[in-house]
Amino acid sequence: MGANSTQAYAVMTFLVAFIFITAGMAVGGNVPLILIGLAVLVLSIGIFRKCKPWEHRENE
């Protein structure tokens, strides 16, 4: 697995997503925070999928 700045942004958004989700659960089921966390999680997945083709190109 190669390391580049886009992968770092994906990991960062992944961690931020779980911070929002756990904060929403800790407050007593705060639905807006949980939904924000899920939206950021989807964003993180999108960034990771964008990075996937780059890994195979670096090996060639």
Side-chain angles (χ1 to χ4, degrees):
M1 180 174 158
N4 57 43
S5 62
T6 306
Q7 288 174 336
Y9 290 129
V11 171
M12 181 186 66
T13 56
F14 184 78
L15 295 174
V16 169
F18 279 99
I19 290 171
F20 275 113
I21 292 170
T22 55
M25 290 179 181
V27 176
N30 191 348
V31 176
L33 277 178
I34 295 172
L35 290 176
I36 290 171
L38 290 174
V40 175
L41 184 63
V42 169
L43 175 67
S44 173
I45 291 169
I47 297 172
F48 273 122
R49 289 182 57 95
K50 178 182 169 185
C51 294
K52 187 66 177 169
W54 295 346
E55 291 181 9
H56 299 293
R57 189 173 48 189
E58 291 175 358
N59 293 333
E60 294 177 354

